[in-house]
Amino acid sequence: MKKILMVLAGCAALTACASQDKNPLKGREFASYQDEIKITLNFDKEQPRLYGKVVNSYNAPYELAGDNIIVGRMASSMMMPIGRAAEVEHEYFKFMSDAEPKSYKLEGGYLTLSDHSGKSYKFEKIK
């Protein structure tokens, strides 16, 4: 009887841990095109970290709070983009780096991120 109770307690603990992680973005990969410039946005499988690439590669921690995503301090590589690619990257990095939470909507194979001013980026799910 004692062994059965221990097994049941272990199963309950595993179920509780699994149900606490309800991050629908974890392990997903997305892409968006702005003026034919590809922007990728990926979410790590193991930790709350996002990463991707425009011209430069970037990464940042993130936190979900309801239907909001809060992006932490971003880091990026330091290649020098030119032309429209530089503008698209600058606008996107500024959007992602803004301290205000963004709302996110995951629907029908698309992820939409929107800020408080109404600016948004729509990404198509790759994985």
Side-chain angles (χ1 to χ4, degrees), residues 11-63:
C11 288
L14 286 174
T15 303
C17 289
S19 65
Q20 287 176 356
D21 187 14
K22 296 188 183 208
N23 181 342
L25 300 176
K26 196 177 257 192
R28 301 270 181 110
E29 298 179 8
F30 299 91
S32 180
Y33 289 88
Q34 304 293 317
D35 295 336
E36 300 182 17
I37 308 297
K38 184 177 184 179
I39 301 171
T40 63
L41 174 59
N42 308 304
F43 294 87
D44 193 280
K45 294 177 189 177
E46 303 299 322
Q47 54 187 319
R49 189 153 203 86
L50 58 82
Y51 59 95
K53 184 174 181 178
V54 185
V55 173
N56 286 288
S57 298
Y58 67 91
N59 70 80
Y62 74 93
E63 179 183 331

Side-chain angles (χ1 to χ4, degrees), residues 4-18:
I4 292 173
L5 289 175
M6 287 176 59
V7 169
L8 289 174
C11 288
L14 286 174
T15 303
C17 289

Side-chain angles (χ1 to χ4, degrees), residues 67-92:
D67 63 349
N68 288 320
I69 182 168
I70 302 154
V71 179
R73 188 175 180 139
M74 283 183 51
S76 73
S77 57
M78 302 288 286
M79 295 189 310
M80 182 64 90
I82 57 171
R84 185 63 186 139
E87 294 170 20
V88 167
E89 182 176 85
H90 175 76
E91 291 169 15
Y92 177 68

